[in-house]
Amino acid sequence: MTSFGGTASQGMVDWNLAVATATRLVRPGPEISRDEARAVVAELRRHAKVSEEHVRSFTRMGTGDVHDTPVLVVDRPGWVRANVAGFRELLRPLLDKMQERRGPGAGNAVLGAVGGKVTGVELGMLLSFLSSRVLGQYETFAPAAPDLPSGTTPGGGRLLLVAPNIVHVERELDVAPHDFRLWVCLHEETHRTQFTAVPWLRDHLEGEIQAFLAETEVDPMTFLERIRDAAQSLAGGRPEGEQEDGGRSLVELVQTPAQREILGRLTAVMSLLEGHADFVMDGVGPEVVPSVAEIREKFQQRRAKGASRLDLALRKLLGLDAKLRQYRDGERFVRAVVGEVGMDGFNRVWTSPNTLPTKAEISDPAGWVARVHRTTEP
């Protein structure tokens, strides 16, 4: 198992305990024989490879060069380990800042050790919840580890496909397994293509996220209490009625005015990336996925409906409801722009950070076209 030790950030969150807790609590996957599991893994790897050419041809992005980012078919504990590594790397500056603010002293050291373990357990609870819901993920900020290889470019990168979750959903929706697995791979491969074909995109996103974290004024205990709220919501420990009080998400709770501006830009970029992946998935689908219409309809119903009151409360607290809006709004933006200026015209969005859509332009595709494609007035 990957070990996450060292630095001040370790005192704020016990990352090893987070992994151990999530691994212990993670739900078992669907019942499947060893031979069937091997067949699923092999098929997902084939689909991921085939998806590269489909996505590049449709989007006109990238080249024929082999990706240097690996495809990892993982189980739920594997997804947890990969994400803890990414979270720890991304949150290191914020947690180090909080550690410094707490100050030295034996009392603080003891309090920090206890608090780090409590937070590790609670973070593990959240990760165990999320690990059964993610089908695939392109990990943009992914440090390499012996059991978790990453890309060779600065910052790495890897594509994760969570096999038990894919099997669970295809059974739940009662759709053709071969078609559904390829459909999922098309979506995730689009994300890999976005970052490998647009070299500046990763650094731009990291810069925005670090600027957001650098503006955080919340004290350590308040930040950790937000994680505790989420964990208590997951465990059913919040008072009746509190889950539906219109409470704010974890992200919203740490905002300053400067952060709101940064978050607006991040929301626009994430809407673009998610909407573009959905657009590509639907665009390529009819050519290579015979039952794509059925899959899309059933999957959209599943997305919209959610699950229990607890699931809805967690989606709000973790900001997952915003992610659902990103799929919808971003796909509408991409569809409208491609309809007006074609795929090559749309691809001007990848020219530089200045050609990315603003949050307002995501809802006003014509505004983006006018700004980026405007001609000089006579």
Side-chain angles (χ1 to χ4, degrees):
M1 176 181 291
T2 303
S3 179
F4 308 97
T7 81
S9 65
Q10 175 71 12
M12 299 297 297
V13 181
D14 189 328
W15 299 104
N16 291 327
L17 187 56
V19 171
T21 301
T23 302
R24 186 176 68 252
L25 296 178
V26 70
R27 301 181 194 175
E31 291 188 11
I32 187 170
S33 71
R34 188 178 299 273
D35 287 343
E36 288 175 313
R38 279 197 289 262
V40 170
V41 170
E43 184 174 24
L44 286 172
R45 286 179 175 147
R46 289 195 304 271
H47 284 334
K49 183 64 179 175
V50 168
S51 294
E52 288 186 32
E53 184 54 39
H54 289 315
V55 170
R56 287 173 176 167
S57 176
F58 183 80
T59 63
R60 302 176 195 172
M61 296 173 67
T63 67
D65 296 338
V66 176
H67 280 310
D68 75 336
T69 51
V71 176
L72 306 181
V73 182
V74 298
D75 57 9
R76 290 168 180 175
W79 179 88
V80 168
R81 290 194 300 274
N83 275 266
V84 164
F87 288 157
R88 183 173 183 271
E89 191 69 21
L90 200 58
L91 292 176
R92 186 195 305 272
L94 173 63
L95 296 179
D96 286 350
K97 176 182 175 181
M98 289 181 172
Q99 181 81 8
E100 291 170 7
R101 182 175 295 182
R102 191 168 57 192
N108 280 337
V110 172
L111 180 62
V114 173
K117 290 187 180 303
V118 171
T119 306
V121 169
E122 290 164 344
L123 180 59
M125 292 171 66
L126 291 177
L127 288 169
S128 71
F129 170 82
L130 294 171
S131 69
S132 64
R133 284 157 171 76
V134 177
L135 300 181
Q137 173 185 1
Y138 182 74
E139 272 205 299
T140 315
F141 311 103
D147 58 339
L148 291 168
S150 186
T152 57
T153 57
R158 54 183 167 237
L159 181 61
L160 305 179
L161 297 169
V162 191
N165 295 350
I166 293 171
V167 171
H168 171 79
V169 173
E170 71 192 25
R171 290 178 178 179
E172 178 186 308
L173 299 181
D174 190 24
V175 293
H178 173 86
D179 288 3
F180 184 74
R181 294 166 194 174
L182 178 55
W183 189 72
V184 170
C185 287
L186 289 170
H187 184 280
E188 303 309 330
E189 177 58 38
T190 302
H191 286 317
R192 184 161 68 147
T193 297
Q194 289 163 347
F195 283 94
T196 55
V198 185
W200 55 264
L201 185 57
R202 181 207 175 275
D203 288 343
H204 173 71
L205 263 183
E206 183 179 28
E208 292 280 56
I209 292 170
Q210 292 304 335
F212 180 90
L213 295 177
E215 287 289 332
T216 298
E217 297 298 335
V218 68
D219 67 272
M221 290 310 299
T222 301
F223 181 80
L224 300 182
E225 281 168 7
R226 295 311 94 203
I227 297 178
R228 187 162 301 125
D229 283 348
Q232 288 174 348
S233 183
L234 175 60
R238 302 179 69 187
E240 183 66 26
E242 191 175 323
Q243 294 162 338
E244 299 184 78
D245 63 357
R248 298 155 73 190
S249 73
L250 286 170
V251 170
E252 292 170 323
L253 282 164
V254 296
Q255 282 187 62
T256 65
Q259 283 179 310
R260 281 192 287 274
E261 291 184 17
I262 299 168
L263 186 61
R265 296 195 296 269
L266 281 170
T267 298
V269 175
M270 298 312 298
S271 296
L272 170 69
L273 299 180
E274 297 293 358
H276 183 235
D278 266 13
F279 177 78
V280 172
M281 188 167 57
D282 287 349
V284 175
E287 295 288 329
V288 297
V289 182
S291 60
V292 65
E294 177 192 3
I295 291 173
R296 182 63 152 153
E297 180 182 0
K298 290 182 175 180
F299 195 76
Q300 287 288 65
Q301 290 173 354
R302 182 180 185 273
R303 257 187 196 168
K305 147 176 102 169
S308 63
R309 286 175 66 240
L310 173 60
D311 195 40
L312 293 173
L314 276 165
R315 275 167 43 172
K316 171 64 180 175
L317 187 60
L318 298 174
L320 301 182
D321 53 344
K323 186 173 178 66
L324 296 178
R325 289 194 298 273
Q326 289 169 5
Y327 284 112
R328 185 172 59 249
D329 297 345
E331 197 274 341
R332 280 199 294 258
F333 170 84
V334 176
R335 187 172 300 281
V337 171
V338 172
E340 186 168 347
V341 296
M343 186 63 75
D344 290 335
F346 165 78
N347 280 342
R348 289 184 64 177
V349 78
W350 311 117
T351 304
S352 75
N354 293 330
T355 56
L356 291 171
T358 64
K359 188 176 179 181
E361 287 170 343
I362 287 289
S363 302
D364 178 24
W368 179 87
V369 171
R371 176 173 68 85
V372 175
H373 289 266
R374 64 176 178 264
T375 56
T376 305
E377 296 293 332

